[in-house]
Amino acid sequence: MIVDCAVYRHGHRGEGPEDLSDALNEARAAGGFVWIGLHEPSEKEFDLVTQEFGLHPLAVEDALKAHQRPKLEVYDDSLFMVLKPVVYEPESDAVSTGEVMIFVGDSFVVTVRHGGGSPLAAVRRRLEEEPEMLEKGPTSVLYGIADATVDHYLEVATELQTDLEELEAEVFSPDRGGSRNTASRIYTFKRQVLEFRRATVPLALPLARLAGTGALGGGVLFVDDKARPFFRDVSDHLTRVNESVEGLDRLVSDILSAHLAQMSVRQNDDMRKISAWAAMAAIPTMIAGIYGMNFDHMPELRWVWSYPAVILLMAALEVLLYRLFKRRGWL
C-alpha cells in the first residue's frame, strides 16, 4: 500500500518512523513535513492514514473511488487536488490516463496513485536533488507534481500532432485515401484527443486558483503565497497544451469531413462510370431487341447485308458514346 514514506527536514530526506503519528510529530518538531505515497489503497488500508492526518471524508471517498475530474478542494485541515497524468503508448499510438490525488496539510503530503502514467517517483527524485525547493514545504511537492504532469502533457501533445500529420497524409494520399479502415482510424484518434481533453481542460481552473489569477484569485490555504509565480508558469504551460488540444480536435474533425467528402466524390465518379457503361450497353441491346421481335414486315429483313450493317451501326454508336463520355470525364 505505502510505496514510499519519508520525513523532510530543511529540504533533506530522512527515513520516517514506521508509526505515522510519530513521523508527523517528528516532522512538525523539526519544522519539516512528511510525504507518504500510496498506490491504489483499499478502504481498510487507507483508514489509518485518514485517522492520523485528519483527512476530510469527502476527499477520502474521492481518493478511494478514483475516476474523478481534475479539481481543487480546500477543507479546514487539508487541501485536496486531483490530477490526471497522461501516457502515450507508441506501440499502439494510444493515449491512456491515470489519476493522482494529493492531500496537502501544514506539515504533510499524502499522494494516492491510481493506474499508470504517474510521475511521482521521478518528481520525488528530482525534488530530493533540489533541497532549496523542498525546504519550502508541502507546497513544493504540489508544485513539482503539477509541473511534471503538465510538462508531460506537452510531450503527449507533440506525439499526437505527429500522428495527426501521418493520418492527414494517409487521407489525402491518392493510393490510400479511400481505404476502408481510414474512417475508423480517424474516429479512434478523435476518441484519444477527447480522452486527452478530459485530463487537461478541467485542470485550468485549479491551477488558476493556485496561481492567484482570474476571478478566483487570492490565497489558497496550505499553499505558500510565494509559490504563485511557479504555479503561474505551470498554468501558462497548461494553456499551451489546451490550445494544442483544441487545434488537434478541430483538425481531426476537418480531416474526417474531408475524408467523407472524398468518399462521396469517389462514389459519384463510380456512379457516372457505371451509368456510362450502362448507356453504352443499352444501344446494342435495344437494336438487338427490336430485330429479335417476330414480325414479318420489318425494314431490311430480306437484305443480304442487313446483319453486318446492323453490327456496324451498333459499333459506330458505341464508339460515338465512348468518345462523348470520355470527353466529359465519365470514363
Side-chain angles (χ1 to χ4, degrees):
M1 178 191 71
I2 297 180
V3 178
D4 200 351
C5 176
V7 176
Y8 295 89
R9 309 174 187 87
H10 307 293
H12 296 280
R13 176 182 177 126
E15 297 302 324
E18 294 184 1
D19 186 88
L20 297 181
S21 180
D22 292 342
L24 184 59
N25 292 332
E26 182 178 326
R28 285 173 174 167
F33 66 94
V34 181
W35 182 359
I36 299 176
L38 304 99
H39 178 247
E40 298 183 359
S42 65
E43 184 176 355
K44 183 178 181 180
E45 292 170 335
F46 203 52
D47 281 344
L48 178 61
V49 179
T50 302
Q51 294 171 6
E52 294 295 341
F53 295 100
L55 305 181
H56 196 280
L58 293 177
V60 171
E61 181 181 0
D62 290 343
L64 290 174
K65 291 185 177 180
H67 304 294
Q68 305 295 319
R69 285 167 52 90
K71 63 179 180 178
L72 176 67
E73 300 286 350
V74 180
Y75 301 101
D76 293 336
D77 298 324
S78 63
L79 174 151
F80 177 66
M81 187 171 186
V82 179
L83 297 169
K84 294 181 76 69
V86 176
V87 177
Y88 176 82
E89 301 171 1
E91 295 82 7
S92 58
D93 294 337
V95 170
S96 60
T97 59
E99 289 187 50
V100 174
M101 286 77 169
I102 310 168
F103 295 87
V104 177
D106 57 350
S107 55
F108 69 85
V109 177
V110 178
T111 54
V112 181
R113 177 168 62 91
H114 291 268
S118 171
L120 297 183
V123 170
R124 190 185 286 262
R125 287 194 300 269
R126 181 168 63 85
L127 289 176
E128 289 175 356
E129 294 173 358
E130 302 178 8
E132 66 280 2
M133 178 66 74
L134 272 178
E135 195 173 3
K136 299 182 184 301
T139 302
S140 63
V141 178
L142 181 63
Y143 161 73
I145 297 174
D147 183 55
T149 300
V150 174
D151 283 348
H152 193 62
Y153 287 165
L154 290 169
E155 298 175 9
V156 174
T158 301
E159 295 289 348
L160 289 176
Q161 182 65 45
T162 301
D163 289 347
L164 182 61
E165 291 173 358
E166 294 176 355
L167 188 59
E168 186 176 17
E170 177 181 335
V171 168
F172 292 103
S173 170
D175 298 330
R176 301 179 60 188
S179 59
R180 293 183 178 179
N181 63 341
T182 301
S184 176
R185 285 195 59 195
I186 295 173
Y187 181 75
T188 300
F189 187 86
K190 191 170 181 64
R191 291 285 300 177
Q192 292 174 4
V193 173
L194 178 60
E195 185 72 15
F196 195 19
R197 288 188 62 180
R198 288 174 178 168
T200 63
V201 173
L203 186 57
L205 183 58
L207 285 180
R209 291 182 62 187
L210 292 173
T213 59
L216 297 177
V220 178
L221 291 177
F222 310 107
V223 176
D224 191 343
D225 289 340
K226 295 181 181 179
R228 288 186 183 181
F230 295 94
F231 285 109
R232 280 200 293 270
D233 180 66
V234 178
S235 182
D236 289 342
H237 290 177
L238 182 65
T239 300
R240 288 173 51 195
V241 171
N242 285 333
E243 290 175 351
S244 179
V245 172
E246 291 293 335
L248 288 172
D249 190 40
R250 288 195 299 269
L251 281 175
V252 73
S253 297
D254 292 342
I255 289 175
L256 180 58
S257 299
H259 173 68
L260 295 177
Q262 282 185 329
M263 296 298 293
S264 178
V265 169
R266 288 190 178 93
Q267 290 175 353
N268 289 337
D269 289 340
D270 292 340
M271 289 302 299
R272 282 199 298 266
K273 291 177 181 179
I274 293 172
S275 300
W277 286 112
M280 292 173 63
I283 295 298
T285 302
M286 179 187 68
I287 295 175
I290 291 174
Y291 278 90
M293 293 186 292
N294 298 320
F295 294 107
D296 291 333
H297 304 288
M298 294 184 68
E300 310 302 341
L301 283 179
R302 305 300 177 185
W303 185 39
V304 176
W305 300 102
S306 59
Y307 179 76
V310 170
I311 296 298
L312 288 175
L313 176 62
M314 288 191 290
L317 291 174
E318 291 294 301
V319 171
L320 179 63
L321 286 176
Y322 179 82
R323 294 186 62 182
L324 177 63
F325 293 147
K326 192 72 173 179
R327 185 179 305 168
R328 294 187 176 182
W330 287 28
L331 291 174

